[in-house]
Amino acid sequence: MNHPSLPGHAFLAQRVLGAKPSATKEMTRLANQMKREGRDVIALSQGEPDFPTPLHVREAAKAAIDRNESRYTDVAGTLLLREAVMRKFERDNGLRFSPEQIQVGCGAKQLLYNALQATINDGDEVVIPTPAWVSYPEMVLLAGGRPVIVRCGASSGFKLTPQQLEEVITPRTKWLMLNSPSNPSGAVYSQEELAALGEVLLRHPHVWVMADDIYEKIRYEDTAFATPAAVVPELAGRTLTINGVSKAYAMTGWRVGFGAGPVELIRAMNLVQSQSTSHTSSISQAASIAALDGPMDFLPGFVKAFRRRRDRVVEVLRSIEGLSCDLPPGAFYAFPGCQGLLGRRDKLNNLIATDSDLALYLLREAGVAVVQGAAFELPGHFRISYAASDEELEEALRRIAVACAELR
Ligand code: PLP
């Protein structure tokens, strides 16, 4: 029987009962639990750089503490940080904004959440090309919307085609969520590809674009970074461009993300934020100014290490019979196809029917935590985060190869 003070299902909201917890966090939790039980587990399930935050950023945070910057800030973020964000958008993306067009939140995640809460009415549709970050569909559901999943497989480079977009737009479509470089596939949209999607969107003026550019700085090709509002300026009046310091500056725990878009949208998002978190930490905001305005000389080292790890991970995955793996041009994930292993059995005769079975098998048998493709709405794959040390990756790959070879 339930404890009388514990909420039973009848007490919880339908929209919460209908949402799933984050599969990446769930896999990491399982891995941590096994570690506590004494198992040797390598967690490649979470996406965060393993580098330290650059020294000048840490120093700026300490200085802000010593200046006693310990008060509430503007809901939208301090003016100084919003001005640094404006400089970043102009410098890196050729996008010009005013301070009223910028919101700073607790990570890029809160920007996505605020925007959906501020705009979605019951039953509104949000187009999500997949594989996509696990949180997109759940955030849409929590806002009362309907995620419209469009599966984009390896044959199209895991990218949405203009034809697919045209086919799914309805009068209820509110947003297209685009993430480049992508978590989990690492796919990067080119200027031309965004322009072609833009042509479709220009024919449907009621559809807005949420561009999640959080992995902008983690790319391995020499092409210029493309973001929708810059590639198709006619779309800027209905685009929210989201970015942050988490991935580029190894600052996941500092919780600072930002977004820029039309004033009316940002105003509505500020309303949502004012009634939830108010704003992110004043100290983190001060540190983020130093990050955005400061030297970027550490970045080539980050990208070089990620590239080395990516090349090694893809090389080993491709050598495993039953797996296939494209070379991801961005982010720090590999997203191999595992259809070739499905239908096989492990030593105890358990059937590995799905990518979820395979992910649990790798955790149980090899002590390596990966995340099933189903969590990203593209089954038949799994995601490995290679934001881990070279030593951990080598050992994890060795174990994955052995475990896969044991399937019959
Ligand atoms: N968007 C994508 C695609 C991500 O993968 C993540 C983090 O994993 C985020 C947004 C959230 O970033 P932040 O830590 O800034 O909230």
Side-chain angles (χ1 to χ4, degrees):
M1 202 184 85
N2 274 349
H3 188 283
S5 65
L6 286 180
H9 269 202
F11 185 74
L12 298 177
Q14 285 301 324
R15 63 177 183 284
V16 169
L17 292 172
K20 293 194 294 283
S22 155
T24 51
K25 295 222 179 327
E26 180 57 16
M27 264 296 173
T28 309
R29 189 190 65 76
L30 278 177
N32 287 338
Q33 185 180 323
M34 285 171 63
K35 278 188 203 168
R36 280 196 300 276
E37 288 163 3
R39 285 284 309 268
D40 168 20
V41 176
I42 303 174
L44 303 181
S45 44
Q46 191 116 322
E48 57 181 346
D50 56 326
F51 309 116
T53 300
L55 181 64
H56 65 279
V57 178
R58 286 180 274 146
E59 295 295 348
K62 290 180 209 163
I65 292 174
D66 290 339
R67 284 195 306 274
N68 198 32
E69 281 190 24
S70 54
R71 307 283 184 238
Y72 290 129
T73 75
D74 286 350
V75 167
T78 64
L79 183 60
L80 288 179
L81 176 52
R82 281 181 288 144
E83 285 171 349
V85 169
M86 285 159 54
R87 287 190 287 278
K88 175 261 174 290
F89 277 125
E90 181 155 16
R91 183 177 64 233
D92 295 351
N93 311 111
L95 292 172
R96 298 189 71 156
F97 297 104
S98 65
E100 295 70 36
Q101 291 183 281
I102 310 280
Q103 180 181 62
V104 175
C106 304
K109 196 171 204 170
Q110 194 180 16
L111 272 296
L112 297 157
Y113 193 86
N114 287 347
L116 292 167
Q117 289 292 330
T119 57
I120 295 297
N121 290 311
D122 278 354
D124 281 348
E125 295 172 5
V126 177
V127 176
I128 305 178
T130 73
W133 188 36
V134 291
S135 295
Y136 289 175
E138 305 309 319
M139 285 192 199
V140 171
L141 287 171
L142 284 172
R146 197 167 83 73
V148 176
I149 302 297
V150 187
R151 290 192 169 159
C152 309
S155 60
S156 63
F158 300 108
K159 287 183 270 194
L160 180 71
T161 65
Q163 194 186 345
Q164 282 177 308
L165 177 59
E166 186 72 67
E167 279 166 11
V168 295
I169 290 177
T170 75
R172 294 297 310 261
T173 308
K174 205 128 204 190
W175 288 99
L176 163 65
M177 296 180 84
L178 270 186
N179 172 218
S180 172
S182 152
N183 171 10
S185 72
V188 178
Y189 284 83
S190 70
Q191 196 112 356
E192 294 71 30
E193 286 162 341
L194 289 184
L197 292 174
E199 267 181 43
V200 175
L201 292 167
L202 290 176
R203 288 197 288 276
H204 300 279
H206 65 292
V207 182
W208 285 51
V209 184
M210 207 176 299
D212 178 351
D213 295 349
I214 191 76
Y215 295 97
E216 172 183 10
K217 300 292 182 197
I218 319 290
R219 287 177 301 116
Y220 309 104
E221 288 171 355
D222 258 348
T223 46
F225 178 68
T227 190
V231 173
V232 191
E234 301 96 308
L235 285 181
R238 47 181 163 120
T239 299
L240 176 67
T241 306
I242 296 175
N243 212 316
V245 297
S246 295
K247 314 286 176 174
Y249 302 89
M251 291 175 69
T252 44
W254 297 72
R255 309 312 301 135
V256 177
F258 42 83
V263 173
E264 321 80 74
L265 173 65
I266 297 296
R267 219 176 267 148
M269 289 167 60
N270 285 338
L271 186 82
V272 172
Q273 184 158 291
S274 75
Q275 303 299 5
S276 54
T277 58
S278 294
H279 58 77
T280 194
S281 145
S282 54
I283 303 303
S284 294
Q285 292 190 53
S288 298
I289 298 172
L292 292 175
D293 283 343
M296 295 295 288
D297 49 353
F298 60 89
L299 188 66
F302 281 16
V303 175
K304 188 170 167 212
F306 283 141
R307 182 198 299 272
R308 184 180 67 240
R309 296 167 186 181
R310 171 195 72 156
D311 291 349
R312 179 66 185 147
V313 166
V314 171
E315 181 192 3
V316 175
L317 291 175
R318 282 178 176 169
S319 74
I320 296 174
E321 195 264 320
L323 295 184
S324 57
C325 191
D326 289 337
L327 192 67
F332 36 64
Y333 309 100
F335 195 62
C338 58
Q339 287 93 341
L341 294 178
L342 304 184
R344 297 189 189 180
R345 289 178 182 274
D346 71 8
K347 282 183 294 196
L348 300 174
N349 209 32
N350 295 310
L351 178 66
I352 306 295
T354 65
D355 48 282
S356 302
D357 294 342
L358 184 66
L360 286 172
Y361 167 72
L362 291 176
L363 182 60
R364 199 171 59 232
E365 214 36 53
V368 179
V370 300
V371 183
Q372 64 275 19
F376 307 97
E377 292 288 350
L378 195 71
H381 298 75
F382 62 90
R383 188 194 78 174
I384 290 184
S385 164
Y386 54 83
S389 72
D390 296 80
E391 297 72 33
E392 274 185 317
L393 279 177
E394 273 312 319
E395 175 59 15
L397 291 167
R398 189 191 65 74
R399 293 186 196 180
I400 290 173
V402 170
C404 289
E406 278 172 356
L407 292 174
R408 291 284 171 258

